[in-house]
Amino acid sequence: MAAELRSTVEGRTMVLTISNPEHRNALGPEMYAAGVEALNIAETNPDVRCVVLTGEGETFCAGGNLQRLQANRQKPPEVQAQSIEQLHSWVEAIRTFPKPVIAAVEGPAAGAGFSLALACDLIVAARNAVFVMAYSSVALSPDGGGSWSLAQALPRQLVNELLMSGERIGAQRLHELGVVNRLCDAGQALGTALEWSEKLAARAPNVMTSIKELVSEAGAHDLSTHLAAERDHFVKNLHHPNGGIGIAAFLNKQVPRYE
């Protein structure tokens, strides 16, 4: 069965499913381009308010395909560099996508699979899910933005431990550390993520975009710059039609229906 990234729509959510069951949902270049294309389609479709990224079956993603990586050692270095650039284009597309992206994780999320989950805005994980930056176990270093995402979220010593030792860390521990947002029973990650995404889809989409941009840019801004950005987003959203809808609904004790 060929490796692919499947795209379906559930309500107001696009579900992207990493499907490569023969290799525990290992990634490949064909998925990277499909991921970018799917997000481009979702961005221009007003009926899609959220995206959920998940894996087929009981595995989220095993990371890179080691047989393909071994074969690439016999090719010019540019071949692997191009593959990683394609992965990074997908990661950047997730990070800059103007709508919420939720990772729904069952079972292992390894290497670039872990990095992909970290690139998402929110993570729902089954209690028995395990995460591992397995690169050092095969004499490789991270890709997919994993080292960047972990360094933003965790103390340096813990990030070094995860990357250098290549040891597994459970969903419960990552939940305690604030990396995983919500835990659920095994087999319920996608359903839990979809339930959450529908609640987010009911909120003003322009505000979801503003929040995502503000949070993403916060680390690069000094306070003065960030305060100016918050001001500009607030004023823009106040004068957006949804601002009027939201305030009027609250004052009249009604449920808002945003554009």
Side-chain angles (χ1 to χ4, degrees), residues 52 102-104 106 123-126 182-185 187-199:
V52 169
I102 305 175
E106 298 277 355
I123 300 177
V124 173
R182 297 188 179 179
L183 297 173
C184 61
D185 292 336
Q188 300 301 312
L190 178 57
T192 302
L194 285 172
E195 182 180 352
W196 196 3
S197 71
E198 283 302 302
K199 290 179 180 178

Side-chain angles (χ1 to χ4, degrees), residues 214-238:
L214 286 167
V215 171
S216 178
E217 295 167 357
H221 283 172
D222 58 30
L223 178 59
S224 179
T225 302
H226 199 73
L227 288 173
E230 285 190 334
R231 175 200 64 210
D232 293 345
H233 277 279
F234 188 99
V235 172
K236 179 179 66 175
N237 290 317
L238 175 64

